[in-house]
Amino acid sequence: MMTASEEQPATLSMAEKAYLAIRDRLIMLDIPPMTAIDDAALARSLEIGRTPVREALKRLEIDRLVVSYPRRGTFATSVDITDLAYISDLRVHLEPLAARRAAEVATEADLEEIDSLLDRLDGADFRSMERDEIMRWDLHVHRTIYHATGNPHLEDTLIRYDNLATRIFCVFLDRMQDFDSHVMEHSALLRAIGSQKPDKAEQLAREHVLNFDKAMRSLV
């Protein structure tokens, strides 16, 4: 599965590249929750200047992935299971909307990407995958659906909340006994979108969010 940096167009600014790379580390918990952010060390590891890193951190604070305190510095936000209720409250409405819109307006290119994902899904053995690979698969599927809506505002909003949900997923994945069944729910959802069945896609997306919420709560 591609990393955020591998998906970046060559025309992206240094600040945008820094934002995507740092966001990826935060989502995947490569920068652990509550860890102090060393912008100089980040700049060195990304081989870019400190100014783009600082600009990226300002954006990531809006995304609720980092938090800054006067005279203390910037830290990765905590992963608090109590936030799940707030996140799910939004996603249970927006994810079905995105699935419906994708089924209604997906372009030929979007449908080809969905077919490609289904082909890979059919041959995937999620039990043998590393945590990061599973998480990147989950992110890629959701982002493909969001993009297929043709609505950049809906896409941006859903990416933000999916990122927060994914951090919770990362924390609890090792304790989930049936995580593969959750990921395999993508198959029916993608097929509904690919076959342009809005009602079915909307229903499956809602069930997917509710099942995720239930699974996470059962582990607390």
Side-chain angles (χ1 to χ4, degrees), residues 8-80:
Q8 295 174 19
T11 56
L12 289 182
S13 68
M14 295 304 290
E16 185 71 12
K17 290 179 180 179
Y19 169 75
L20 292 174
I22 299 168
R23 187 184 72 177
D24 184 77
R25 295 185 185 187
L26 289 161
I27 294 168
M28 305 303 294
L29 306 186
D30 294 329
I31 300 176
M34 303 304 294
T35 299
I37 306 292
D38 184 338
D39 58 357
L42 270 178
R44 288 193 298 271
S45 68
L46 297 173
E47 298 182 339
I48 58 177
R50 292 179 70 175
T51 298
V53 169
R54 288 170 176 168
E55 291 177 10
L57 291 173
K58 290 178 182 178
R59 288 180 62 187
L60 291 163
E61 187 165 13
I62 295 172
D63 292 344
R64 296 182 180 272
L65 291 172
V66 303
V67 59
S68 295
Y69 299 103
R71 296 180 297 278
R72 288 182 56 197
T74 300
F75 297 78
T77 54
S78 62
V79 176
D80 191 339

Side-chain angles (χ1 to χ4, degrees), residues 195-209:
S195 57
Q196 299 177 302
K197 297 179 179 178
D199 290 343
K200 185 66 172 178
E202 181 179 8
Q203 173 197 340
L204 291 171
R206 182 175 293 106
E207 291 174 358
H208 186 61
V209 174

Side-chain angles (χ1 to χ4, degrees), residues 144-168:
T144 298
I145 295 171
Y146 305 157
H147 182 72
T149 67
N151 183 333
H153 299 287
L154 179 60
E155 180 179 5
D156 288 348
T157 301
L158 275 167
I159 285 174
R160 178 179 296 180
Y161 291 109
D162 187 50
N163 288 342
L164 296 173
T166 299
R167 293 182 86 217
I168 295 173

Side-chain angles (χ1 to χ4, degrees), residues 98-116 144-151 190 193-196:
R100 168 173 283 278
R101 289 287 183 267
E104 292 172 338
V105 305
T107 65
E108 286 299 319
D110 293 325
L111 294 174
E112 288 177 6
E113 175 64 14
I114 287 169
D115 283 342
S116 175
T144 298
I145 295 171
Y146 305 157
H147 182 72
T149 67
N151 183 333
L190 289 170
I193 294 171
S195 57
Q196 299 177 302

